[in-house]
Amino acid sequence: MTNSIADLREEYTKASLDIDSVNPNPFKQFEKWFTEAQNSKLPEPNAMILSTANTVGQPFQRTVLMKALDENGIVFYTNYGSRKAKQISENNKVSILFPWYPLERQVIILGTTEKVSTKESLKYFTSRPHGSQLGAWVSQQSAVINSRSVLEMKLAEMKRKFKEGKVPLPDFWGGYRIKPTSFEFWQGRQSRLHDRLMYEVGEESQWKISRLAP
């Protein structure tokens, strides 16, 4: 190793974040930042790190993709038999993180989850590429398998099964909507004196904005 890990650092100088300049609605502020992430050609700007916890409090993280956004919440899709889905069924409180490192930004959202309707899941499922539709049928997500050949054999089987007509929506696959309870917008600044603005629901369901120390 040529360089010490302790010596790895960057000075953040690209932007600032001030209470007087942000949108009072955190969904609108998030949409603004998300659009800027898209326009900056970041790879997978809709990728988010989803954190859940099991029954003994052990946290787990994984990257999933945001597939819908409005003031009702943020939607992602998964296998309802997966580890994340099982943990959500036991504790529907989650955290998500959007890591937009090239912009020296990140957004942390806390919230609760609920399944989207079958109609909404079907609408998204039919928009997916054919291979992704088959993949949803192939993988028993998070289950232990002996080798990759198990997946390849299952894929061949699904190709034969659905070689004619549309691929139906699996009853074990669909979406979750995360309903935010707080947003934290983080903008890197020089000397590690970063800007952090927290939106939380206050009185009469109005969003309250606070500045946090870095």
Side-chain angles (χ1 to χ4, degrees):
M1 187 178 297
T2 57
N3 296 316
S4 169
I5 294 175
D7 292 333
L8 294 175
R9 60 175 53 85
E10 297 285 341
E11 276 289 359
Y12 302 140
T13 60
K14 291 186 176 180
S16 61
L17 190 61
D18 189 79
I19 287 179
D20 295 331
S21 63
V22 296
N23 196 299
N25 183 324
F27 290 94
K28 297 298 184 183
Q29 181 63 33
F30 181 85
E31 288 177 0
K32 178 179 183 294
W33 270 24
F34 181 66
T35 298
E36 291 174 2
Q38 287 180 294
N39 292 341
S40 297
K41 306 300 182 183
L42 298 186
E44 307 254 49
N46 59 327
M48 60 188 192
I49 300 167
L50 169 69
S51 298
T52 58
N54 65 14
T55 54
V56 296
Q58 175 64 55
F60 292 79
Q61 295 84 35
R62 77 288 289 163
T63 301
V64 299
L65 298 178
M66 176 178 68
K67 287 300 180 179
L69 166 68
D70 59 30
E71 294 211 11
N72 291 316
I74 291 169
V75 177
F76 70 95
Y77 291 86
T78 189
N79 186 307
Y80 285 144
S82 65
R83 180 170 61 191
K84 71 176 82 64
K86 291 177 181 177
Q87 292 175 355
I88 286 172
S89 71
E90 297 162 348
N91 175 8
N92 74 339
K93 294 180 180 179
V94 301
S95 172
I96 53 177
L97 166 67
F98 289 86
W100 296 322
Y101 302 132
L103 297 180
E104 301 172 356
R105 288 176 175 173
Q106 57 185 342
V107 181
I108 301 169
I109 300 172
L110 304 184
T112 58
T113 54
E114 62 184 25
K115 287 183 177 179
V116 306
S117 67
T118 300
K119 180 179 179 181
E120 189 171 348
S121 290
L122 177 61
K123 181 179 179 181
Y124 171 68
F125 185 80
T126 56
S127 74
R128 303 181 91 202
H130 183 71
S132 296
Q133 293 177 352
L134 293 176
W137 280 95
V138 168
S139 176
Q140 187 179 350
Q141 197 174 89
S142 302
V144 176
I145 57 176
N146 293 327
S147 68
R148 184 174 178 81
S149 63
V150 173
L151 298 177
E152 294 168 348
M153 291 173 60
K154 185 70 172 178
L155 178 59
E157 177 188 342
M158 292 299 104
K159 286 181 177 178
R160 291 192 298 270
K161 183 175 181 178
F162 301 124
K163 66 180 179 180
E164 296 180 6
K166 297 180 180 178
V167 179
L169 172 70
D171 60 5
F172 52 81
W173 191 96
Y176 284 100
R177 176 170 286 103
I178 300 170
K179 301 178 75 66
T181 55
S182 72
F183 290 75
E184 181 186 329
F185 293 86
W186 184 100
Q187 178 70 61
R189 297 294 302 273
Q190 286 183 298
S191 303
R192 294 299 185 262
L193 297 179
H194 312 305
D195 289 330
R196 298 172 60 194
L197 297 185
M198 172 73 81
Y199 290 72
E200 296 176 290
V201 178
E203 296 180 359
E204 299 180 355
S205 299
Q206 297 296 310
W207 290 99
K208 175 184 176 183
I209 310 177
S210 303
R211 175 175 285 275
L212 304 181

